[in-house]
Amino acid sequence: MNGREGVIMEELWNKYRIRTMEAASVHLGGKQLIDGKGLEASLQTIQSMFRTPDIKTAASLFIKRYNVYIAVLEAMSCRNAETRLSLSQMSFSCSATYIFTYAPMLFTKRSKQSRDAWREQLLQELFQEHLSVMIASLERETGFSASVMWSHIAYYIHVMYERWIREETDPLIQERIIADFAYLQKLPAKWFGARDQNPLCVSFSCMKHPIEDKPVLVRKTCCLNYKTETSKGPCYTCPRLSEQERLEKIHALSKKA
């Protein structure tokens, strides 16, 4: 890993709460999501950490709060760099509101293959061998809908790509981000498990933020955060809210900031 690669990795690992040294209190191992051994007990622990009434809600919030796949996408699209995250080498520790991921800092030097071929391989590993495995395992263990979990991931990806496109000032990099975003929405459905279509190929309702100069995307599905013991109701992006309730919630949150 050269100096530039090291800086990129360190920035991304810090930004997405990824640690290289495993904590003493690990609540879930990546291998458990692959083989299912001890998964029920781990999910019950996460349920307790998230303070949810059942493991279905815990599964929903785990996927909503899980974010390391965004680090892979940011490296690919914004930095034109490669980082890989093997589920079997990962573990997770949860607080009431966050997930901390433990994974080795693997930054693989790009091969001489075309960017299109490199991108396809990277994304197939990320979606077919990582996220699909994780979601299928959680669905089997909890009975919570894989479609809803994929909706959480699609929402996060759309929010981040729209932000990267909006904030990028270099036209060449912006063009690359736009192209990658379009490509993501055309990935084969089979990479997402037993899906009839690519769950990323979706549009979200959008409204102008009443205070900040940015759009607010509204989720397609509720994450069930309102069911937690510490909740103060649905998130302001929740589809359960009316437009007026959403505005009131945003204004209330801004006053606390």
Side-chain angles (χ1 to χ4, degrees):
M1 186 186 299
N2 63 35
R4 173 183 175 272
E5 293 168 348
V7 169
I8 290 173
M9 289 295 290
E10 188 172 353
E11 286 179 1
L12 292 175
W13 256 230
N14 288 334
K15 185 175 183 178
Y16 295 103
R17 295 186 293 275
I18 309 172
R19 307 289 184 263
T20 55
M21 297 295 291
E22 190 170 270
S25 57
V26 168
H27 300 128
L28 178 65
K31 289 182 179 178
Q32 291 178 281
L33 291 165
I34 297 171
D35 59 30
K37 294 179 181 178
L39 182 55
E40 181 181 5
S42 291
L43 287 172
Q44 289 172 347
T45 300
I46 292 172
Q47 175 188 340
S48 176
M49 295 301 298
F50 287 169
R51 301 177 73 176
T52 68
D54 50 58
I55 59 173
K56 285 187 177 183
T57 307
S60 177
L61 291 178
F62 185 88
I63 290 296
K64 179 195 176 182
R65 295 169 181 175
Y66 183 61
N67 65 1
V68 298
Y69 59 95
I70 300 293
V72 177
L73 296 175
E74 182 173 335
M76 178 189 76
S77 295
C78 301
R79 317 295 185 93
N80 204 31
E82 176 179 323
T83 181
R84 295 176 186 269
L85 291 164
S86 172
L87 191 56
S88 64
Q89 295 180 295
M90 298 169 69
S91 58
F92 313 97
S93 179
C94 302
S95 69
T97 53
Y98 293 114
I99 297 172
F100 296 90
T101 300
Y102 302 93
M105 195 176 284
L106 300 176
F107 193 106
T108 308
K109 191 174 183 63
R110 273 191 53 189
S111 66
K112 294 181 180 179
Q113 64 189 149
S114 70
R115 189 179 190 276
D116 286 352
W118 164 74
R119 179 179 63 181
E120 180 179 4
Q121 182 183 37
L122 186 68
L123 293 177
Q124 183 172 11
E125 288 181 11
L126 179 62
F127 288 98
Q128 191 170 41
E129 301 174 21
H130 186 135
L131 291 171
S132 286
V133 172
M134 177 180 284
I135 287 176
S137 182
L138 292 174
E139 183 182 46
R140 280 194 303 271
E141 191 62 48
T142 68
F144 189 67
S145 168
S147 294
V148 175
M149 288 187 274
W150 277 118
S151 181
H152 294 345
I153 286 174
Y155 179 82
Y156 202 173
I157 288 174
H158 276 253
V159 167
M160 295 308 295
Y161 268 91
E162 291 193 14
R163 178 186 300 174
W164 295 334
I165 292 168
R166 188 171 64 249
E167 295 178 354
E168 182 54 60
T169 57
D170 186 316
L172 292 178
I173 297 176
Q174 186 182 64
E175 183 179 346
R176 184 177 69 221
I177 297 170
I178 291 170
D180 284 352
F181 188 29
Y183 183 73
L184 280 165
Q185 296 174 72
K186 296 175 183 177
L187 295 179
K190 64 181 180 181
W191 289 7
F192 300 87
R195 305 287 99 202
D196 294 329
Q197 62 183 26
N198 177 337
L200 308 183
C201 185
V202 64
S203 59
F204 293 90
S205 298
C206 182
M207 62 174 283
K208 188 179 185 302
H209 196 287
I211 300 169
E212 301 175 28
D213 184 22
K214 66 178 184 178
V216 175
L217 268 63
V218 180
R219 292 178 179 273
K220 292 283 188 185
T221 54
C222 176
C223 70
L224 307 182
N225 185 64
Y226 74 93
K227 289 189 173 185
T228 62
E229 292 178 16
T230 56
S231 171
K232 294 182 180 179
C235 312
Y236 72 81
T237 57
C238 185
R240 291 172 172 268
L241 296 178
S242 66
E243 184 172 351
Q244 182 59 38
E245 289 172 326
R246 198 178 318 284
L247 289 171
E248 290 173 359
K249 204 164 193 63
I250 291 171
H251 281 290
L253 288 170
S254 68
K255 291 177 181 177
K256 294 179 182 179

